[in-house]
Amino acid sequence: MPRPLSGDDIRRRPEASEMLDSLLATGGLVLLRDSVEWEGRGLLKALIKKSALRGEQVHVLGCEVSEEEFREGLGSDVNSRLVYHDLFRDPSNWSQPGEAAPEGPLKALRSMCRRTDRGSVTIALDSLSWLLCHIPCVTLCQALHALSQRNVDPGAGDNPLIEQVRVLGLLHEELHGPGPVGAVSSLAHTEVTLSGKMDQTSASILCRRPQQRATYQTWWFSILPDFSLDLHEGLPLHSELHRDPHTTQVDPATHLTFNLHLSKKEREAKDSLTLPFQFSSEKQQALLHPVPGQTTGRIFYEPDAFDDVDQEDPDDDLDI
């Protein structure tokens, strides 16, 4: 059973809870795409906290940081609901000498597919980028698809063993090419792209629900030390990102073999030039009022032996 709301929860802005609820509304894969400048582990832990406080069992596959560092900042009521699968200390599973060929991360993913929890389950992968470096992309996509499926107990009757499965995957998209990123994105029901402006983070959320139109919205927020969200108001949904003053702007026309810009003299010469197909007033006056004594051009035509000139039937040579 989820714990009752405390005074701090009541004083929280309802919009922050609305944002987290929108991300956790459906099952399937929720993909968090971060970068070096805007990290996404804080939002991942905020979603884990929200899921745990709603009474869900949360499985965490930790790859990039230690278990102690990951649990830091989360309260005891949240940590008590976390089932941590540690790949940080022994990623290749070398601590099991009895296994001839340890499977490492793939074995951990497959073991998470065989769950026995009841109710809704949230699985957090920290991170998908680490897994992509150790597992082929096709194999990882198959494992993600298997993770997001519901487990049904044949003996449970009308009550399935798991009501809803949600997978939270953190992806450092700067580390991968368009192929792996596109493959993982195609499996996601919800994509969250993190960016920002100054010290404020924005989350661009793309939701794809079955038999519904895709929805897109942007939230501006800050993550508090207890991994709660504080939303910012008064900011435009699609504002221009803050430019790095140390970033140099490259002129795309620098190394071209032709010039895209005209000088002042070149532009004046271009504007004063009369093109041959332009019917200017001088040409019009010369044709309407020819100068006396000026020789005009004439065309002399002498038919040869093969010309069939018939004034009554000019198309006779076409054999129609």
Side-chain angles (χ1 to χ4, degrees), residues 2-3 5 24 26 48 98 115 128 135 159-160 181 188 191 198 264-265 278 305:
R3 67 172 179 83
L5 294 178
L24 302 174
T26 59
I48 290 175
R115 300 171 303 270
L128 285 174
I135 303 176
N159 298 321
V181 174
E191 284 189 65
M198 302 298 288
K264 183 178 180 180
K265 291 183 178 180
Q278 289 181 340

Side-chain angles (χ1 to χ4, degrees), residues 141-163:
C141 290
Q142 293 173 350
L144 289 176
H145 178 72
L147 277 177
S148 59
Q149 300 301 309
R150 299 183 180 182
N151 282 4
V152 179
D153 185 3
D158 297 333
N159 298 321
L161 193 63
I162 291 183
E163 298 176 0

Side-chain angles (χ1 to χ4, degrees), residues 255-274:
H255 303 289
L256 295 180
T257 57
F258 52 90
N259 188 14
L260 294 177
H261 308 287
L262 297 178
S263 63
K264 183 178 180 180
K265 291 183 178 180
E266 290 174 341
R267 187 172 298 277
E268 292 176 354
K270 175 185 174 184
D271 295 338
S272 61
L273 180 65
T274 302

Side-chain angles (χ1 to χ4, degrees), residues 192-316:
V192 183
T193 303
L194 296 177
S195 57
K197 180 180 180 181
M198 302 298 288
D199 57 344
Q200 298 170 349
T201 307
S202 69
S204 301
I205 304 172
L206 176 62
C207 296
R208 308 184 188 96
R209 291 184 173 87
Q211 301 178 353
Q212 295 183 14
R213 292 184 58 184
T215 59
Y216 181 84
Q217 56 183 342
T218 301
W219 300 79
W220 291 84
F221 64 94
S222 297
I223 300 179
L224 302 179
D226 62 345
F227 295 103
S228 299
L229 297 187
D230 183 20
L231 294 189
H232 302 286
E233 299 178 354
L235 290 174
L237 292 182
H238 303 283
S239 60
E240 184 180 359
L241 296 181
H242 176 64
R243 293 183 178 272
D244 189 354
H246 302 287
T247 303
T248 58
Q249 300 295 328
V250 180
D251 186 6
T254 302
H255 303 289
L256 295 180
T257 57
F258 52 90
N259 188 14
L260 294 177
H261 308 287
L262 297 178
S263 63
K264 183 178 180 180
K265 291 183 178 180
E266 290 174 341
R267 187 172 298 277
E268 292 176 354
K270 175 185 174 184
D271 295 338
S272 61
L273 180 65
T274 302
L275 299 179
F277 55 83
Q278 289 181 340
F279 197 69
S280 62
S281 59
E282 291 80 3
K283 290 184 180 181
Q284 184 178 5
Q285 293 296 327
L287 292 175
L288 294 178
H289 305 285
V291 179
Q294 184 179 5
T295 304
T296 58
R298 295 182 181 181
I299 299 177
F300 296 93
Y301 173 69
E302 182 178 355
D304 55 19
F306 296 99
D307 288 341
D308 185 8
V309 180
D310 188 352
Q311 298 297 334
E312 296 182 357
D313 189 7
D315 298 331
D316 180 58

